[in-house]
Amino acid sequence: MILWLTTFAFSIASALLPFLPIEVYIVGAGTAEHGTAAAVSLGVAAGAGATIGKIVWYEVARRGADSAWAQRKLSKPKIKASYEKWVARMQGRPWYAAGIMFVAASAGIPPLLAMAAVGGLLKMPMWTFIPTVFLGRTLRFTLLFLGVDFAIH
């Protein structure tokens, strides 16, 4: 239970602070428990924690989109063009937006931190954002825990 809670807490911190890579933590933590059930359980803990952390980034972007600072940033041609490109791609296309978010959550391309902010800026529905990020992150982390377990046993 302690490892589960530690994994959950570390994954929240990792989601908020990109210099704390959860993948490095998983390599170490994965050696402490073995078996498929442990890998799935720890993958769920890491996925849930990461989702909570990304919700924070989503909300910061959503609530800050109308701030003077954000408007100054969005007035720069390169940033504005990128923002408008993502708006055109994602707005009004919930399945496409969910697909992009799932790929970011599970594969890391594009980076999930950036996509969480884009989701907030575009006001992606939470009913799409939360389960998509949770499923993608849980899948990614469970596979990493399983890989560590396979490698050491």
Side-chain angles (χ1 to χ4, degrees):
M1 183 62 142
I2 297 293
L3 184 60
W4 196 96
L5 291 171
T6 304
T7 300
F8 177 72
F10 190 86
S11 67
I12 293 172
S14 176
L16 293 171
L17 306 167
F19 59 84
L20 292 176
I22 186 72
E23 292 80 4
V24 173
Y25 171 87
I26 287 172
V27 169
T31 62
E33 296 275 337
H34 52 277
T36 303
V40 171
S41 176
L42 292 171
V44 168
T51 302
I52 290 169
K54 296 310 179 195
I55 290 169
V56 171
W57 282 109
Y58 171 99
E59 282 297 321
V60 165
R62 186 182 69 80
R63 293 175 187 205
D66 298 326
S67 71
W69 178 84
Q71 293 306 310
R72 279 194 310 276
K73 290 288 185 188
L74 287 172
S75 70
K76 295 179 181 178
K78 188 174 180 180
I79 293 173
K80 184 176 182 173
S82 179
Y83 173 75
E84 288 173 352
K85 179 176 76 172
W86 281 106
V87 168
R89 284 181 179 167
M90 294 177 77
Q91 222 160 19
R93 298 170 69 191
W95 288 106
Y96 180 82
I100 294 290
M101 199 63 69
F102 180 79
V103 169
S106 59
I109 302 169
L112 183 56
L113 188 141
M115 290 310 299
V118 167
L121 285 170
L122 300 179
K123 296 175 176 54
M124 179 183 200
M126 279 290 206
W127 63 266
T128 303
F129 181 79
I130 292 173
T132 303
V133 171
F134 175 72
L135 289 173
R137 276 305 189 201
T138 298
L139 176 65
R140 175 185 180 98
F141 299 146
T142 298
L143 290 174
L144 286 170
F145 275 113
L146 285 169
V148 169
D149 187 52
F150 179 77
I152 62 171
H153 291 102

